[in-house]
Amino acid sequence: MKFSVTVTLKKDVLDPQGKVVQNTLHNLGMENLKSIRQGKYFEIELDDNDQKKAEKKIDEMCKKLLANLIIEDYKVNKI
Amino acid sequence: MKSSVIVFPGSNCDRDIAIALEKMQFKNQMVWHKETKLPKSDLIVVPGGFSYGDYLRSGAIAGKSLIINEVIKAANEGCLILGICNGFQILTETGLLKGILLRNKNLKFINEDINIKVINNNTKFSNKYKENQVLKINIAHNEGSYFTNSDHMKELKNENLIAFKYCDKNGNINENSNPNGSLENIAGIFNSKKNILGMMPHPERMTDKLISNTDGVNLFSSLLK
C-alpha cells in the first residue's frame, strides 16, 4: 500500500524560500502569481493490507518525525 | 564537575566544546550517539555542527537517536543540559525545549561575531554574568530564526526564561540588531525548570584571548559554582 505525504508550512509561518522562488518566477515573466509556499513531499510504501491500520501508521510517522507540528501541517493521500 | 559531550555524525564543534570544558576543569567524556548509556554527568552538552547533514530538518534525525532517550531521562532528573547551535536545534526537536529554529530570514548562512545581551543572570548557566551585560560572541548558522507560539512566548517572558537576546554593541535590542529574524531577538532560552539552556551563539569559541575573546568563559564558570 502506497501513500503520499505532503508537508507544508503553516499559514502564519514565514517561508523565505517560497518567497524567493515566487520573486524569481515573477522575474521570469510569470504573471498573475499570487503566492508560493514551498513544502516537502514523501512517498511511503507499507507492507499492510488493512488501509485503516496503514493510515494510522502513516499518521504516527508524520507526527513523530516527518512534520514538526509547531510550524508544519501534513496531508496524507493513498496513491 | 563531570560533563559529557554527545557526538553525532556531522557534529563539528564537539572538540571545541571539549577543549573549553577541559580548560575549565570539567572532567569530560565524549559519548557517541549509538551508546545507550550515559556516563554519570553533571552537565550534558549537545554540540554544534550539522548532524546527519541537516536532513529533513536541522536536528530532526539526531533528535530521535538512541542516546537521546538517555539525555531526556537525565534532563527530567535535573541534570544540566546545554545545547549550542545544532545542539539547540536538536533539543527543540526532542521536545526538551519548546519552539523551533527556522531558516535565517535572509536565507544566508551567517558566520559573524555579533552581540548578545544577558537577559536572565539568575540561573546555573549565567550567574557569573551581570544582568544586561553585552557579550561579543560568534554565530555560525543557517537555521537560527527562533519561532514559537504565542502562549509559549508569554511563558518565556513571564517566567524569565529568555537567556540571551541579540543586540548591538551598545545593548540596543531592535530589528537592526537581529541577525536572523528570531522572534523578539531571542538568541537563547531556558526550559521552565532552568536546567536546560539552548542557544545559537557559540560560547565555546569565546574562551581564548589568542583566537577571539573570553566572553564565553563565564558561562562555564557559572556552571562550576
Side-chain angles (χ1 to χ4, degrees):
Chain A
M1 214 170 275
K2 215 169 169 184
F3 295 88
S4 73
V5 173
T6 313
V7 177
T8 48
L9 283 172
K10 284 190 184 323
K11 221 173 52 211
D12 50 353
V13 177
L14 279 179
D15 178 17
Q17 291 188 84
K19 198 93 205 151
V20 168
V21 172
Q22 182 181 342
N23 291 343
T24 307
L25 284 172
H26 182 80
N27 293 343
L28 289 172
M30 305 293 171
E31 282 167 19
N32 302 331
L33 193 53
K34 246 178 127 178
S35 78
I36 287 193
R37 305 280 287 170
Q38 189 173 317
K40 292 182 189 121
Y41 177 79
F42 304 86
E43 280 182 1
I44 305 172
E45 218 176 331
L46 277 186
D47 200 5
D48 208 327
N49 293 323
D50 184 336
Q51 187 170 340
K52 270 232 164 95
K53 255 194 194 160
E55 276 172 357
K56 224 177 140 192
K57 196 109 218 161
I58 299 278
D59 200 59
E60 195 187 345
M61 289 179 192
C62 291
K63 287 197 173 111
K64 279 196 170 159
L65 185 67
L66 301 184
N68 184 320
L69 299 181
I70 301 168
I71 49 159
E72 292 169 327
D73 292 320
Y74 62 90
K75 263 190 211 131
V76 180
N77 280 307
K78 190 166 181 294
I79 49 177
Chain B
M1 282 283 269
K2 285 186 182 146
S3 60
S4 294
V5 174
I6 313 290
V7 186
F8 299 97
S11 295
N12 65 8
C13 302
D14 46 327
R15 291 300 308 153
D16 302 46
I17 183 75
I19 287 167
L21 288 168
E22 279 157 14
K23 200 170 148 186
M24 299 300 296
Q25 310 301 321
F26 281 82
K27 277 196 80 174
N28 187 55
Q29 286 198 59
M30 309 303 271
V31 182
W32 184 235
H33 69 108
K34 281 189 175 162
E35 299 285 332
T36 48
K37 252 191 142 173
L38 266 171
K40 206 174 159 351
S41 322
D42 307 296
L43 169 72
I44 300 168
V45 182
V46 188
F50 299 86
S51 57
Y52 295 91
D54 280 347
Y55 288 2
L56 194 63
R57 295 177 304 274
S58 310
I61 308 290
K64 312 290 176 207
S65 59
L66 283 177
I67 194 69
I68 284 297
N69 295 327
E70 294 304 301
V71 175
I72 293 172
K73 224 186 276 168
N76 290 336
E77 285 164 8
C79 180
L80 297 169
I81 317 272
L82 170 62
I84 302 167
C85 198
N86 189 221
F88 185 11
Q89 295 163 341
I90 293 168
L91 291 182
T92 62
E93 284 287 346
T94 61
L96 284 174
L97 288 173
K98 290 185 199 160
I100 188 170
L101 284 312
L102 296 174
R103 189 96 186 258
N104 294 341
K105 202 176 169 190
N106 67 0
L107 293 176
K108 287 183 179 133
F109 185 93
I110 307 169
N111 178 10
E112 221 178 312
D113 289 353
I114 47 90
N115 295 107
I116 58 173
K117 195 183 239 184
V118 179
I119 305 298
N120 184 351
N121 70 334
N122 190 19
T123 74
K124 285 195 168 146
F125 294 93
S126 56
N127 55 70
K128 285 280 168 70
Y129 290 114
K130 293 191 191 86
E131 197 183 348
N132 292 328
Q133 189 178 342
V134 175
L135 315 175
K136 192 175 180 195
I137 193 159
N138 180 258
I139 53 168
H141 59 246
N142 201 37
E143 283 87 12
S145 181
Y146 184 73
F147 180 87
T148 193
N149 62 38
S150 53
D151 283 348
H152 180 230
M153 182 56 82
K154 267 184 220 145
E155 187 189 329
L156 286 176
K157 285 184 193 166
N158 293 343
E159 293 182 32
N160 210 1
L161 301 178
I162 299 172
F164 306 105
K165 282 189 177 190
Y166 299 109
C167 63
D168 64 20
K169 64 178 193 308
N170 299 316
N172 298 308
I173 297 165
N174 53 41
E175 210 174 309
N176 292 331
S177 57
N178 187 344
N180 52 25
S182 288
L183 281 183
E184 307 258 351
N185 282 43
I186 285 175
I189 59 160
F190 301 105
N191 65 332
S192 57
K193 281 195 209 149
K194 300 194 184 85
N195 66 317
I196 306 175
L197 167 63
M199 60 192 294
M200 288 314 293
H202 285 276
E204 79 280 17
R205 295 186 184 179
M206 304 342 245
T207 55
D208 195 330
K209 250 193 183 133
L210 201 63
I211 53 169
S212 53
N213 64 32
T214 51
D215 283 4
V217 167
N218 276 351
L219 193 143
F220 301 103
S221 57
S222 294
L223 290 165
L224 287 170
K225 205 174 121 181

